[in-house]
Amino acid sequence: MNRLRIGLIGPGAIGETHARAIRALDETVLSAIAGGTPEQIATCRNGEDVPAFATPEAMLANAAIDAVVVCTPSGAHHDAALAAIEAGRHVLVEKPLCVDPAEAASLVRAAERSQLTCGVVSQRRLEPQHQAIKALLDEGRLGQPRLIETAIHWYRSEAYYAEKPWRSATEHGGGSLFNQGVHNLDLMLWLFGAVTSVQGKTATLGHAHAVEDTTAALLSFASGTLGVIVTSTALPPGRPAMLRLFTDRGSCELANDSIVRWDFADVAEPPSAAGVGSAASDPKAIGIDGHIAQWRDFVGAIRERRPPASTFRDGFEAARLVEAIYRSAGEGRAINPGEIAAEAIDAG
């Protein structure tokens, strides 16, 4: 079987993570790079002779590639992903799909018209403990969901924000909810379904920039279940991401990749992931295992002509839920995420 030839757009820190994951698989090969500094390009090349292009458009027009991964700052995902779709390439986009829900809706329409494989990086869905809990919930073996809580009590220094100015820019999703919390927010949607109302509060408590570094929100799910999400990058030294699920039959708690409490008497505790690093105080500590799993799933989706683990529609739902929380915080009232870009997703 031919290896999938990948073009990488945006060879920064997360681009390097993808380059390493692509190199680790037999099914993929890094075949082109677009954008970045000479140092970033050299790091992603890792001594290999990989063609580099100044722009995504030049890469798409001249490189022999089957798919692209978009690793630019979050606010710049739309144009690069859309160009790749229009050039007939499969597309994997780093989280979040887009900061602007209307742009996310635009990508959903383009992807579904194209019939290409288009996915969003949501590697936490693929960890064995989350896969097992999702299956048990779907089968009804854990009972009726009642409450889900997640907390990202992390810390990022001023140097972290100074290193990449987009990290403190609202237009690039630099807040703690979009940049750090979106993975667990995605897990909440995946496990418990659609949200019909949010009430949010945001604050900047520990940094000298305008974008929020702490968010708290109450979620009401369509099922009647309630949820709570708290995200922060202002809480030193940082703790592993927490997820708690409660049903009418019991509860469980996860700290990063480990199940630390399992209170379902008649259901065996699922295995936990091994070696997934915590980004509580260091974003580089996550390792590449999750991205290897994401790429393995993405390649399988292309070969098997099935949806990837996280689709552009999933990415849209996460983007508009974040927007609803921010809008609720700004307006001081409950917001239905369905009101946001509702007409855009099915327009055209």
PDB file of all heavy atoms in Angstrom, residues 53 76 87 100 104 135 145 148-149 161 170 175 182 202 233 238 277-278 294 296 305 309-310 319 323 328 331:
ATOM      1  N   PHE A  53       7.956  25.394   0.860  1.00  0.00           N
ATOM      2  CA  PHE A  53       7.321  26.421   0.050  1.00  0.00           C
ATOM      3  C   PHE A  53       6.968  27.608   0.930  1.00  0.00           C
ATOM      4  O   PHE A  53       6.670  27.451   2.119  1.00  0.00           O
ATOM      5  CB  PHE A  53       6.063  25.871  -0.631  1.00  0.00           C
ATOM      6  CG  PHE A  53       6.328  24.709  -1.554  1.00  0.00           C
ATOM      7  CD1 PHE A  53       6.370  23.413  -1.057  1.00  0.00           C
ATOM      8  CD2 PHE A  53       6.560  24.917  -2.902  1.00  0.00           C
ATOM      9  CE1 PHE A  53       6.624  22.326  -1.897  1.00  0.00           C
ATOM     10  CE2 PHE A  53       6.819  23.844  -3.752  1.00  0.00           C
ATOM     11  CZ  PHE A  53       6.856  22.546  -3.246  1.00  0.00           C
ATOM     12  N   ALA A  76      -6.024  31.409  11.752  1.00  0.00           N
ATOM     13  CA  ALA A  76      -5.657  31.319  10.338  1.00  0.00           C
ATOM     14  C   ALA A  76      -5.965  29.950   9.738  1.00  0.00           C
ATOM     15  O   ALA A  76      -5.512  29.638   8.634  1.00  0.00           O
ATOM     16  CB  ALA A  76      -4.166  31.641  10.164  1.00  0.00           C
ATOM     17  N   ALA A  87      -8.200  22.372  -3.631  1.00  0.00           N
ATOM     18  CA  ALA A  87      -7.154  21.740  -4.440  1.00  0.00           C
ATOM     19  C   ALA A  87      -7.298  20.215  -4.463  1.00  0.00           C
ATOM     20  O   ALA A  87      -6.448  19.531  -5.047  1.00  0.00           O
ATOM     21  CB  ALA A  87      -5.780  22.126  -3.901  1.00  0.00           C
ATOM     22  N   ASP A 100     -13.766  31.400  14.596  1.00  0.00           N
ATOM     23  CA  ASP A 100     -15.036  31.987  14.168  1.00  0.00           C
ATOM     24  C   ASP A 100     -15.982  30.869  13.743  1.00  0.00           C
ATOM     25  O   ASP A 100     -15.694  30.138  12.791  1.00  0.00           O
ATOM     26  CB  ASP A 100     -14.780  32.939  13.002  1.00  0.00           C
ATOM     27  CG  ASP A 100     -16.032  33.631  12.503  1.00  0.00           C
ATOM     28  OD1 ASP A 100     -17.149  33.233  12.902  1.00  0.00           O
ATOM     29  OD2 ASP A 100     -15.909  34.571  11.694  1.00  0.00           O
ATOM     30  N   ALA A 104     -15.964  28.117  10.567  1.00  0.00           N
ATOM     31  CA  ALA A 104     -16.066  26.671  10.759  1.00  0.00           C
ATOM     32  C   ALA A 104     -17.204  26.102   9.920  1.00  0.00           C
ATOM     33  O   ALA A 104     -17.072  25.035   9.293  1.00  0.00           O
ATOM     34  CB  ALA A 104     -16.274  26.346  12.238  1.00  0.00           C
ATOM     35  N   ALA A 135     -18.308   3.874  24.803  1.00  0.00           N
ATOM     36  CA  ALA A 135     -19.041   2.661  24.430  1.00  0.00           C
ATOM     37  C   ALA A 135     -19.994   2.236  25.545  1.00  0.00           C
ATOM     38  O   ALA A 135     -21.152   1.866  25.284  1.00  0.00           O
ATOM     39  CB  ALA A 135     -18.064   1.537  24.109  1.00  0.00           C
ATOM     40  N   PRO A 145     -27.022   9.479  32.346  1.00  0.00           N
ATOM     41  CA  PRO A 145     -26.138  10.583  32.745  1.00  0.00           C
ATOM     42  C   PRO A 145     -26.885  11.673  33.501  1.00  0.00           C
ATOM     43  O   PRO A 145     -28.029  12.004  33.182  1.00  0.00           O
ATOM     44  CB  PRO A 145     -25.617  11.104  31.401  1.00  0.00           C
ATOM     45  CG  PRO A 145     -25.752   9.948  30.467  1.00  0.00           C
ATOM     46  CD  PRO A 145     -26.994   9.237  30.898  1.00  0.00           C
ATOM     47  N   ILE A 148     -21.738  16.131  34.290  1.00  0.00           N
ATOM     48  CA  ILE A 148     -20.360  15.979  33.821  1.00  0.00           C
ATOM     49  C   ILE A 148     -19.609  17.252  34.177  1.00  0.00           C
ATOM     50  O   ILE A 148     -20.111  18.361  34.000  1.00  0.00           O
ATOM     51  CB  ILE A 148     -20.305  15.679  32.297  1.00  0.00           C
ATOM     52  CG1 ILE A 148     -18.863  15.410  31.850  1.00  0.00           C
ATOM     53  CG2 ILE A 148     -20.942  16.791  31.480  1.00  0.00           C
ATOM     54  CD1 ILE A 148     -18.758  14.839  30.434  1.00  0.00           C
ATOM     55  N   GLU A 149     -18.412  17.074  34.726  1.00  0.00           N
ATOM     56  CA  GLU A 149     -17.576  18.207  35.130  1.00  0.00           C
ATOM     57  C   GLU A 149     -16.186  18.043  34.529  1.00  0.00           C
ATOM     58  O   GLU A 149     -15.654  16.933  34.477  1.00  0.00           O
ATOM     59  CB  GLU A 149     -17.408  18.256  36.653  1.00  0.00           C
ATOM     60  CG  GLU A 149     -18.690  18.395  37.443  1.00  0.00           C
ATOM     61  CD  GLU A 149     -18.447  18.317  38.939  1.00  0.00           C
ATOM     62  OE1 GLU A 149     -17.396  17.762  39.348  1.00  0.00           O
ATOM     63  OE2 GLU A 149     -19.304  18.785  39.686  1.00  0.00           O
ATOM     64  N   TYR A 161       3.372  33.305  26.614  1.00  0.00           N
ATOM     65  CA  TYR A 161       2.584  34.198  25.761  1.00  0.00           C
ATOM     66  C   TYR A 161       3.476  35.107  24.928  1.00  0.00           C
ATOM     67  O   TYR A 161       3.162  35.418  23.775  1.00  0.00           O
ATOM     68  CB  TYR A 161       1.616  35.017  26.617  1.00  0.00           C
ATOM     69  CG  TYR A 161       0.507  34.186  27.213  1.00  0.00           C
ATOM     70  CD1 TYR A 161       0.554  33.756  28.539  1.00  0.00           C
ATOM     71  CD2 TYR A 161      -0.582  33.795  26.440  1.00  0.00           C
ATOM     72  CE1 TYR A 161      -0.464  32.977  29.075  1.00  0.00           C
ATOM     73  CE2 TYR A 161      -1.600  33.021  26.971  1.00  0.00           C
ATOM     74  CZ  TYR A 161      -1.539  32.608  28.284  1.00  0.00           C
ATOM     75  OH  TYR A 161      -2.529  31.832  28.815  1.00  0.00           O
ATOM     76  N   THR A 170      -7.265  37.433  20.965  1.00  0.00           N
ATOM     77  CA  THR A 170      -8.637  36.914  20.908  1.00  0.00           C
ATOM     78  C   THR A 170      -8.959  36.357  19.536  1.00  0.00           C
ATOM     79  O   THR A 170      -9.613  35.311  19.412  1.00  0.00           O
ATOM     80  CB  THR A 170      -9.634  38.036  21.255  1.00  0.00           C
ATOM     81  OG1 THR A 170      -9.329  38.539  22.553  1.00  0.00           O
ATOM     82  CG2 THR A 170     -11.063  37.534  21.223  1.00  0.00           C
ATOM     83  N   GLY A 175      -7.447  32.456  24.370  1.00  0.00           N
ATOM     84  CA  GLY A 175      -7.924  32.273  25.731  1.00  0.00           C
ATOM     85  C   GLY A 175      -7.790  30.845  26.224  1.00  0.00           C
ATOM     86  O   GLY A 175      -7.603  29.905  25.449  1.00  0.00           O
ATOM     87  N   VAL A 182     -10.313  23.291  24.941  1.00  0.00           N
ATOM     88  CA  VAL A 182     -11.205  22.788  23.893  1.00  0.00           C
ATOM     89  C   VAL A 182     -11.194  21.263  23.793  1.00  0.00           C
ATOM     90  O   VAL A 182     -12.201  20.653  23.413  1.00  0.00           O
ATOM     91  CB  VAL A 182     -10.858  23.441  22.527  1.00  0.00           C
ATOM     92  CG1 VAL A 182      -9.552  22.895  21.959  1.00  0.00           C
ATOM     93  CG2 VAL A 182     -12.001  23.266  21.546  1.00  0.00           C
ATOM     94  N   THR A 202     -15.947  34.920  32.445  1.00  0.00           N
ATOM     95  CA  THR A 202     -14.533  34.921  32.087  1.00  0.00           C
ATOM     96  C   THR A 202     -13.809  36.003  32.879  1.00  0.00           C
ATOM     97  O   THR A 202     -14.408  36.988  33.314  1.00  0.00           O
ATOM     98  CB  THR A 202     -14.327  35.180  30.589  1.00  0.00           C
ATOM     99  OG1 THR A 202     -14.833  36.483  30.259  1.00  0.00           O
ATOM    100  CG2 THR A 202     -15.032  34.135  29.742  1.00  0.00           C
ATOM    101  N   THR A 233      -5.231  29.206  32.810  1.00  0.00           N
ATOM    102  CA  THR A 233      -3.773  29.129  32.687  1.00  0.00           C
ATOM    103  C   THR A 233      -3.111  30.010  33.736  1.00  0.00           C
ATOM    104  O   THR A 233      -1.958  30.404  33.591  1.00  0.00           O
ATOM    105  CB  THR A 233      -3.313  29.566  31.289  1.00  0.00           C
ATOM    106  OG1 THR A 233      -3.785  30.906  31.035  1.00  0.00           O
ATOM    107  CG2 THR A 233      -3.823  28.617  30.217  1.00  0.00           C
ATOM    108  N   GLY A 238      -0.045  24.126  38.255  1.00  0.00           N
ATOM    109  CA  GLY A 238      -0.778  23.393  37.231  1.00  0.00           C
ATOM    110  C   GLY A 238      -1.056  21.966  37.661  1.00  0.00           C
ATOM    111  O   GLY A 238      -0.203  21.306  38.263  1.00  0.00           O
ATOM    112  N   GLY A 277       1.390  12.415  28.195  1.00  0.00           N
ATOM    113  CA  GLY A 277       1.930  13.449  29.066  1.00  0.00           C
ATOM    114  C   GLY A 277       0.895  14.496  29.420  1.00  0.00           C
ATOM    115  O   GLY A 277      -0.038  14.755  28.663  1.00  0.00           O
ATOM    116  N   SER A 278       1.051  15.108  30.590  1.00  0.00           N
ATOM    117  CA  SER A 278       0.172  16.190  31.010  1.00  0.00           C
ATOM    118  C   SER A 278       0.784  17.532  30.628  1.00  0.00           C
ATOM    119  O   SER A 278       1.962  17.784  30.882  1.00  0.00           O
ATOM    120  CB  SER A 278      -0.048  16.140  32.522  1.00  0.00           C
ATOM    121  OG  SER A 278      -0.724  17.306  32.965  1.00  0.00           O
ATOM    122  N   GLN A 294      -4.111   9.755  16.193  1.00  0.00           N
ATOM    123  CA  GLN A 294      -4.946  10.580  15.322  1.00  0.00           C
ATOM    124  C   GLN A 294      -4.611  10.329  13.855  1.00  0.00           C
ATOM    125  O   GLN A 294      -5.519  10.187  13.018  1.00  0.00           O
ATOM    126  CB  GLN A 294      -4.730  12.056  15.655  1.00  0.00           C
ATOM    127  CG  GLN A 294      -5.690  12.983  14.938  1.00  0.00           C
ATOM    128  CD  GLN A 294      -6.973  13.189  15.702  1.00  0.00           C
ATOM    129  OE1 GLN A 294      -6.937  13.606  16.844  1.00  0.00           O
ATOM    130  NE2 GLN A 294      -8.114  12.936  15.085  1.00  0.00           N
ATOM    131  N   ARG A 296      -3.188   7.639  12.593  1.00  0.00           N
ATOM    132  CA  ARG A 296      -3.576   6.278  12.234  1.00  0.00           C
ATOM    133  C   ARG A 296      -5.070   6.221  11.895  1.00  0.00           C
ATOM    134  O   ARG A 296      -5.488   5.585  10.920  1.00  0.00           O
ATOM    135  CB  ARG A 296      -3.231   5.315  13.374  1.00  0.00           C
ATOM    136  CG  ARG A 296      -3.426   3.847  13.021  1.00  0.00           C
ATOM    137  CD  ARG A 296      -2.921   2.946  14.132  1.00  0.00           C
ATOM    138  NE  ARG A 296      -1.455   2.894  14.164  1.00  0.00           N
ATOM    139  CZ  ARG A 296      -0.701   3.315  15.169  1.00  0.00           C
ATOM    140  NH1 ARG A 296      -1.277   3.830  16.254  1.00  0.00           N
ATOM    141  NH2 ARG A 296       0.612   3.222  15.111  1.00  0.00           N
ATOM    142  N   ARG A 305     -12.828   4.877   3.471  1.00  0.00           N
ATOM    143  CA  ARG A 305     -13.914   5.769   3.035  1.00  0.00           C
ATOM    144  C   ARG A 305     -14.984   5.912   4.123  1.00  0.00           C
ATOM    145  O   ARG A 305     -16.183   5.745   3.887  1.00  0.00           O
ATOM    146  CB  ARG A 305     -14.528   5.271   1.726  1.00  0.00           C
ATOM    147  CG  ARG A 305     -13.539   5.245   0.565  1.00  0.00           C
ATOM    148  CD  ARG A 305     -14.187   4.811  -0.738  1.00  0.00           C
ATOM    149  NE  ARG A 305     -13.239   4.773  -1.827  1.00  0.00           N
ATOM    150  CZ  ARG A 305     -12.873   5.812  -2.571  1.00  0.00           C
ATOM    151  NH1 ARG A 305     -13.419   7.003  -2.333  1.00  0.00           N
ATOM    152  NH2 ARG A 305     -11.989   5.683  -3.549  1.00  0.00           N
ATOM    153  N   ALA A 309     -12.362  10.129  13.265  1.00  0.00           N
ATOM    154  CA  ALA A 309     -12.856  10.136  14.648  1.00  0.00           C
ATOM    155  C   ALA A 309     -13.486  11.465  15.030  1.00  0.00           C
ATOM    156  O   ALA A 309     -14.432  11.504  15.817  1.00  0.00           O
ATOM    157  CB  ALA A 309     -11.717   9.795  15.604  1.00  0.00           C
ATOM    158  N   SER A 310     -12.981  12.558  14.502  1.00  0.00           N
ATOM    159  CA  SER A 310     -13.548  13.876  14.760  1.00  0.00           C
ATOM    160  C   SER A 310     -13.660  14.619  13.434  1.00  0.00           C
ATOM    161  O   SER A 310     -12.654  14.888  12.778  1.00  0.00           O
ATOM    162  CB  SER A 310     -12.664  14.668  15.734  1.00  0.00           C
ATOM    163  OG  SER A 310     -13.213  15.941  15.995  1.00  0.00           O
ATOM    164  N   ALA A 319     -16.615  24.876  18.265  1.00  0.00           N
ATOM    165  CA  ALA A 319     -16.365  26.308  18.065  1.00  0.00           C
ATOM    166  C   ALA A 319     -17.568  27.143  18.469  1.00  0.00           C
ATOM    167  O   ALA A 319     -17.425  28.197  19.106  1.00  0.00           O
ATOM    168  CB  ALA A 319     -16.004  26.578  16.606  1.00  0.00           C
ATOM    169  N   GLU A 323     -17.933  29.950  21.497  1.00  0.00           N
ATOM    170  CA  GLU A 323     -18.458  31.282  21.207  1.00  0.00           C
ATOM    171  C   GLU A 323     -19.666  31.603  22.088  1.00  0.00           C
ATOM    172  O   GLU A 323     -19.827  32.724  22.566  1.00  0.00           O
ATOM    173  CB  GLU A 323     -18.843  31.384  19.737  1.00  0.00           C
ATOM    174  CG  GLU A 323     -19.524  32.681  19.321  1.00  0.00           C
ATOM    175  CD  GLU A 323     -18.653  33.920  19.495  1.00  0.00           C
ATOM    176  OE1 GLU A 323     -17.416  33.776  19.555  1.00  0.00           O
ATOM    177  OE2 GLU A 323     -19.222  35.027  19.569  1.00  0.00           O
ATOM    178  N   SER A 328     -22.069  34.620  26.344  1.00  0.00           N
ATOM    179  CA  SER A 328     -22.796  34.643  27.606  1.00  0.00           C
ATOM    180  C   SER A 328     -22.052  35.474  28.644  1.00  0.00           C
ATOM    181  O   SER A 328     -22.657  36.284  29.366  1.00  0.00           O
ATOM    182  CB  SER A 328     -22.987  33.217  28.133  1.00  0.00           C
ATOM    183  OG  SER A 328     -23.511  33.215  29.432  1.00  0.00           O
ATOM    184  N   GLU A 331     -22.414  39.199  27.680  1.00  0.00           N
ATOM    185  CA  GLU A 331     -23.758  39.780  27.742  1.00  0.00           C
ATOM    186  C   GLU A 331     -24.451  39.526  29.068  1.00  0.00           C
ATOM    187  O   GLU A 331     -25.530  40.076  29.329  1.00  0.00           O
ATOM    188  CB  GLU A 331     -24.605  39.235  26.596  1.00  0.00           C
ATOM    189  CG  GLU A 331     -24.049  39.582  25.218  1.00  0.00           C
ATOM    190  CD  GLU A 331     -24.884  39.032  24.068  1.00  0.00           C
ATOM    191  OE1 GLU A 331     -25.998  38.522  24.344  1.00  0.00           O
ATOM    192  OE2 GLU A 331     -24.434  39.135  22.918  1.00  0.00           O
TER     193      GLU A 331
END
